[in-house]
Short mmCIF file of all heavy atoms in Angstrom, two decimals:
data_model
loop_
_atom_site.label_atom_id
_atom_site.label_comp_id
_atom_site.label_asym_id
_atom_site.label_seq_id
_atom_site.Cartn_x
_atom_site.Cartn_y
_atom_site.Cartn_z
N ILE A 29 95.43 117.51 158.48
CA ILE A 29 94.83 118.64 157.75
C ILE A 29 95.57 118.95 156.46
O ILE A 29 94.96 119.19 155.41
CB ILE A 29 94.77 119.89 158.65
CG1 ILE A 29 93.90 119.60 159.87
CG2 ILE A 29 94.22 121.09 157.87
CD1 ILE A 29 93.94 120.70 160.92
N ALA A 30 96.91 118.95 156.51
CA ALA A 30 97.69 119.29 155.32
C ALA A 30 97.38 118.35 154.17
O ALA A 30 97.33 118.77 153.00
CB ALA A 30 99.18 119.28 155.64
N GLY A 31 97.15 117.08 154.47
CA GLY A 31 96.81 116.13 153.41
C GLY A 31 95.48 116.44 152.78
O GLY A 31 95.31 116.32 151.55
N ALA A 32 94.51 116.84 153.60
CA ALA A 32 93.19 117.20 153.07
C ALA A 32 93.28 118.41 152.15
O ALA A 32 92.64 118.46 151.09
CB ALA A 32 92.22 117.48 154.23
N VAL A 33 94.11 119.37 152.53
CA VAL A 33 94.31 120.55 151.69
C VAL A 33 95.05 120.18 150.41
O VAL A 33 94.70 120.64 149.31
CB VAL A 33 95.08 121.65 152.46
CG1 VAL A 33 95.45 122.81 151.54
CG2 VAL A 33 94.23 122.16 153.63
N ALA A 34 96.06 119.31 150.52
CA ALA A 34 96.84 118.90 149.35
C ALA A 34 95.96 118.24 148.29
O ALA A 34 96.20 118.41 147.09
CB ALA A 34 97.96 117.95 149.77
N ARG A 35 94.95 117.51 148.73
CA ARG A 35 94.07 116.85 147.77
C ARG A 35 93.25 117.84 146.96
O ARG A 35 92.68 117.48 145.92
CB ARG A 35 93.16 115.85 148.50
CG ARG A 35 93.91 114.61 148.99
CD ARG A 35 92.96 113.55 149.52
NE ARG A 35 92.40 113.88 150.82
CZ ARG A 35 93.00 113.63 151.99
NH1 ARG A 35 94.19 113.07 152.03
NH2 ARG A 35 92.40 113.96 153.13
N GLU A 36 93.20 119.08 147.39
CA GLU A 36 92.47 120.13 146.66
C GLU A 36 93.41 121.04 145.88
O GLU A 36 93.01 122.13 145.44
CB GLU A 36 91.65 120.96 147.65
CG GLU A 36 90.49 120.21 148.27
CD GLU A 36 89.47 119.79 147.22
OE1 GLU A 36 88.91 120.67 146.56
OE2 GLU A 36 89.26 118.57 147.06
N ALA A 37 94.65 120.62 145.69
CA ALA A 37 95.68 121.47 145.08
C ALA A 37 95.26 122.04 143.72
O ALA A 37 95.46 123.23 143.44
CB ALA A 37 96.99 120.70 144.95
N GLU A 38 94.71 121.20 142.85
CA GLU A 38 94.34 121.68 141.51
C GLU A 38 93.24 122.73 141.58
O GLU A 38 93.28 123.74 140.85
CB GLU A 38 93.90 120.51 140.64
CG GLU A 38 95.03 119.57 140.27
CD GLU A 38 94.61 118.53 139.24
OE1 GLU A 38 93.50 118.65 138.69
OE2 GLU A 38 95.41 117.60 139.00
N HIS A 39 92.27 122.54 142.45
CA HIS A 39 91.20 123.53 142.59
C HIS A 39 91.75 124.83 143.18
O HIS A 39 91.33 125.92 142.76
CB HIS A 39 90.09 122.98 143.49
CG HIS A 39 89.36 121.82 142.88
ND1 HIS A 39 88.67 120.89 143.62
CD2 HIS A 39 89.21 121.44 141.58
CE1 HIS A 39 88.12 120.01 142.83
NE2 HIS A 39 88.44 120.31 141.58
N ILE A 40 92.66 124.71 144.13
CA ILE A 40 93.25 125.91 144.73
C ILE A 40 94.04 126.68 143.68
O ILE A 40 93.97 127.91 143.59
CB ILE A 40 94.14 125.54 145.93
CG1 ILE A 40 93.30 124.91 147.05
CG2 ILE A 40 94.87 126.77 146.47
CD1 ILE A 40 94.11 124.27 148.16
N ALA A 41 94.80 125.96 142.85
CA ALA A 41 95.58 126.61 141.80
C ALA A 41 94.68 127.33 140.80
O ALA A 41 94.98 128.46 140.37
CB ALA A 41 96.44 125.58 141.08
N ARG A 42 93.56 126.70 140.43
CA ARG A 42 92.62 127.36 139.52
C ARG A 42 92.05 128.62 140.17
O ARG A 42 91.87 129.66 139.50
CB ARG A 42 91.49 126.40 139.15
CG ARG A 42 91.89 125.32 138.16
CD ARG A 42 90.78 124.30 137.98
NE ARG A 42 89.51 124.92 137.60
CZ ARG A 42 88.34 124.31 137.67
NH1 ARG A 42 88.26 123.07 138.12
NH2 ARG A 42 87.24 124.95 137.30
N ALA A 43 91.79 128.57 141.45
CA ALA A 43 91.27 129.74 142.16
C ALA A 43 92.31 130.85 142.17
O ALA A 43 91.98 132.04 141.99
CB ALA A 43 90.88 129.36 143.59
N ILE A 44 93.57 130.51 142.38
CA ILE A 44 94.64 131.51 142.38
C ILE A 44 94.71 132.20 141.02
O ILE A 44 94.82 133.43 140.94
CB ILE A 44 95.99 130.84 142.73
CG1 ILE A 44 96.02 130.47 144.22
CG2 ILE A 44 97.16 131.77 142.39
CD1 ILE A 44 97.21 129.61 144.61
N ASP A 45 94.66 131.42 139.95
CA ASP A 45 94.70 132.00 138.61
C ASP A 45 93.52 132.96 138.40
O ASP A 45 93.68 134.05 137.84
CB ASP A 45 94.65 130.90 137.55
CG ASP A 45 95.98 130.19 137.37
OD1 ASP A 45 97.03 130.81 137.63
OD2 ASP A 45 95.96 129.01 136.95
N THR A 46 92.34 132.55 138.85
CA THR A 46 91.15 133.39 138.70
C THR A 46 91.31 134.70 139.47
O THR A 46 91.01 135.79 138.96
CB THR A 46 89.90 132.65 139.19
OG1 THR A 46 89.69 131.50 138.37
CG2 THR A 46 88.66 133.54 139.14
N ILE A 47 91.76 134.60 140.71
CA ILE A 47 91.91 135.78 141.56
C ILE A 47 92.94 136.74 140.96
O ILE A 47 92.72 137.95 140.87
CB ILE A 47 92.28 135.38 142.99
CG1 ILE A 47 91.11 134.65 143.65
CG2 ILE A 47 92.68 136.59 143.82
CD1 ILE A 47 91.47 133.94 144.94
N ALA A 48 94.09 136.20 140.55
CA ALA A 48 95.14 137.05 139.98
C ALA A 48 94.65 137.77 138.73
O ALA A 48 94.92 138.96 138.52
CB ALA A 48 96.38 136.21 139.67
N GLU A 49 93.92 137.04 137.89
CA GLU A 49 93.41 137.63 136.65
C GLU A 49 92.42 138.75 136.94
O GLU A 49 92.48 139.83 136.34
CB GLU A 49 92.77 136.53 135.81
CG GLU A 49 92.37 136.96 134.40
CD GLU A 49 90.95 137.49 134.34
OE1 GLU A 49 90.13 137.10 135.19
OE2 GLU A 49 90.67 138.31 133.44
N ARG A 50 91.52 138.52 137.89
CA ARG A 50 90.52 139.53 138.23
C ARG A 50 91.16 140.76 138.87
O ARG A 50 90.83 141.91 138.53
CB ARG A 50 89.46 138.95 139.17
CG ARG A 50 88.60 137.85 138.53
CD ARG A 50 87.64 138.44 137.51
NE ARG A 50 86.90 137.42 136.78
CZ ARG A 50 85.58 137.43 136.64
NH1 ARG A 50 84.85 138.37 137.19
NH2 ARG A 50 84.99 136.48 135.92
N LEU A 51 92.08 140.55 139.80
CA LEU A 51 92.74 141.68 140.45
C LEU A 51 93.57 142.48 139.45
O LEU A 51 93.63 143.71 139.52
CB LEU A 51 93.63 141.19 141.59
CG LEU A 51 92.94 140.56 142.80
CD1 LEU A 51 93.96 140.16 143.86
CD2 LEU A 51 91.91 141.51 143.42
N SER A 52 94.22 141.80 138.52
CA SER A 52 95.05 142.48 137.52
C SER A 52 94.20 143.36 136.60
O SER A 52 94.72 144.33 136.02
CB SER A 52 95.81 141.45 136.68
OG SER A 52 96.72 140.73 137.48
N ARG A 53 92.92 143.03 136.46
CA ARG A 53 92.01 143.82 135.61
C ARG A 53 91.26 144.89 136.41
O ARG A 53 90.32 145.49 135.91
CB ARG A 53 91.01 142.91 134.92
CG ARG A 53 91.62 142.05 133.84
CD ARG A 53 90.58 141.50 132.87
NE ARG A 53 89.72 140.49 133.45
CZ ARG A 53 88.40 140.61 133.56
NH1 ARG A 53 87.78 141.70 133.16
NH2 ARG A 53 87.69 139.63 134.09
N GLY A 54 91.69 145.11 137.65
CA GLY A 54 91.06 146.15 138.45
C GLY A 54 89.93 145.67 139.32
O GLY A 54 89.22 146.48 139.93
N GLY A 55 89.71 144.36 139.37
CA GLY A 55 88.66 143.82 140.22
C GLY A 55 89.10 143.68 141.66
O GLY A 55 90.22 144.01 142.03
N ARG A 56 88.18 143.16 142.48
CA ARG A 56 88.45 142.98 143.90
C ARG A 56 88.25 141.53 144.30
O ARG A 56 87.48 140.81 143.67
CB ARG A 56 87.51 143.87 144.73
CG ARG A 56 87.66 145.36 144.48
CD ARG A 56 86.51 146.13 145.11
NE ARG A 56 85.25 145.81 144.45
CZ ARG A 56 84.06 146.26 144.85
NH1 ARG A 56 83.96 147.04 145.92
NH2 ARG A 56 82.96 145.94 144.19
N LEU A 57 88.92 141.14 145.35
CA LEU A 57 88.70 139.84 145.97
C LEU A 57 87.86 140.08 147.22
O LEU A 57 88.24 140.86 148.10
CB LEU A 57 90.04 139.21 146.35
CG LEU A 57 89.99 137.98 147.28
CD1 LEU A 57 89.18 136.86 146.66
CD2 LEU A 57 91.41 137.51 147.60
#
């Protein structure tokens, strides 16, 4: 399983950036 998740690392990182940006502007997850 960990390998399958690791292969999505770049997409996960982009999602983290998006979530942090939205929450910092007062949005919700």
Side-chain angles (χ1 to χ4, degrees):
I29 299 171
V33 173
R35 288 189 286 275
E36 291 297 299
E38 291 188 9
H39 293 157
I40 296 169
R42 285 173 54 196
I44 288 171
D45 283 333
T46 297
I47 292 167
E49 188 270 334
R50 294 288 174 130
L51 293 181
S52 296
R53 289 199 290 119
R56 298 168 294 174
L57 167 59

